[in-house]
């Protein structure tokens, strides 16, 4: 057993074996390696204090409480770095603000979109499409066209404006 009282500095390689207790502040400078588990019982932990600092975690990580991610200066959060990466969300999720998806978005199960849904490009709907609205507008420019391939039922009053060719 050794007791060091006051400021103590060690230079060079220092190996500590067995149980060690540090009361006060432990300041490590340079690269440090810890083999084994680390149990940190503290209210607040800060890693990094400058813009160029980075934290790399090279193992499976588990968070057992709420996690807050602040975006930094450019407002961007990047999850994954490979085309084969995936993001699985196993909870009810609210996206607040704008969300952009590049690539294919597959949604399974019932979905509700409150507000405007804008689709650009070709869209395919498989199955039944129920539209519950008093007014539906399709097309917004001269030259827009609707092609219906299949049997169609119109229930209720139907109005046509302009030239109508029925064959």
């Amino acid at each position: 057993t050794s007791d060091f009282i006051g400021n103590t500095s060690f230079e060079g390689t220092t190996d500590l074996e067995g149980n060690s207790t540090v009361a006060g502040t432990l300041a490590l400078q340079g690269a440090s390696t810890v083999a084994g588990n680390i149990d940190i019982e503290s209210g607040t932990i800060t890693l990094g204090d400058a813009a160029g600092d980075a934290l790399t975690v090279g193992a499976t990580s588990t968070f057992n409480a709420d996690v807050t991610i602040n975006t930094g200066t450019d407002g961007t959060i990047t999850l994954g770095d490979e085309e084969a990466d995936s993001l699985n969300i196993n909870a009810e999720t609210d996206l607040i603000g704008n969300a952009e998806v590049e690539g294919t978005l597959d949604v399974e199960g019932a979905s509700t979109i409150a507000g405007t849904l804008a689709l650009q490009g070709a869209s395919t709907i498989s199955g039944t499409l129920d539209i519950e609205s008093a007014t539906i507008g399709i097309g917004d420019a001269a030259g827009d066209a609707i092609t219906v391939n299949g049997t169609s039922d119109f229930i209720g009053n139907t109005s046509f404006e302009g030239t109508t060719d029925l064959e």
Side-chain angles (χ1 to χ4, degrees):
T1 299
S2 299
D3 292 326
F4 300 97
I5 300 172
N7 294 334
T8 305
S9 296
F10 298 96
E11 293 185 17
T13 301
T14 302
D15 293 324
L16 300 175
E17 295 182 14
N19 296 330
S20 300
T21 300
V22 176
T25 300
L26 172 64
L28 302 175
Q29 294 179 345
S32 301
T33 301
V34 177
N37 296 329
I38 298 176
D39 183 8
I40 301 173
E41 298 174 0
S42 173
T44 302
I45 299 170
T46 300
L47 300 174
D49 63 356
D53 292 346
L55 171 64
T56 301
V57 178
T60 300
S61 303
T62 302
F63 297 91
N64 293 325
D66 293 341
V67 176
T68 300
I69 300 173
N70 294 319
T71 61
T73 58
D74 65 357
T76 300
I77 298 172
T78 301
L79 300 174
D81 64 353
E82 298 290 332
E83 191 170 310
D85 290 347
S86 63
L87 173 63
N88 297 316
I89 301 173
N90 296 317
E92 184 175 311
T93 304
D94 293 327
L95 298 177
I96 300 170
N98 297 329
E100 183 176 321
V101 176
E102 293 182 14
T104 301
L105 173 64
D106 293 324
V107 178
E108 296 179 11
S111 300
T112 300
I113 297 174
T116 301
L117 172 64
L119 301 175
Q120 295 178 343
S123 300
T124 302
I125 299 173
S126 300
T128 301
L129 174 63
D130 291 329
I131 301 174
E132 299 174 1
S133 176
T135 303
I136 301 169
I138 301 176
D140 64 355
D144 289 348
I146 299 172
T147 302
V148 178
N149 294 319
T151 302
S152 301
D153 294 326
F154 296 93
I155 301 170
N157 298 329
T158 305
S159 299
F160 298 95
E161 293 180 18
T163 303
T164 303
D165 293 327
L166 301 175
E167 296 180 17

